[in-house]
Amino acid sequence: MPPTNPTEDARPRQFGGRNLALLGAAVLTIAAGYVVLSSGSGAAEAASVLLVVGYCVLFPLALLA
């Protein structure tokens, strides 16, 4: 018999398309930040902004959205 109350459903939630898109954007932003940082062209500010946006904005949004 299927559960009548949605809170009784014990199956874990799966990521949807929006979550996967945000996770992909986070990974690309983080990778771009490390590429800019390793280039050594004096663009440490841009690299730090990319890394902070990837780790502190996009990655948590991907988990919570």
Side-chain angles (χ1 to χ4, degrees), residues 6 8-9 14 29-30 35 48 58:
E8 293 177 357
D9 193 9
Q14 294 183 355
T29 304
I30 292 167
V35 167
S48 62
L58 293 175

Side-chain angles (χ1 to χ4, degrees), residues 36-65:
V36 171
L37 187 64
S38 69
S39 70
S41 63
E45 295 85 10
S48 62
V49 168
L50 286 170
L51 290 171
V52 166
V53 168
Y55 280 118
C56 297
V57 177
L58 293 175
F59 189 72
L61 277 177
L63 295 178
L64 297 175

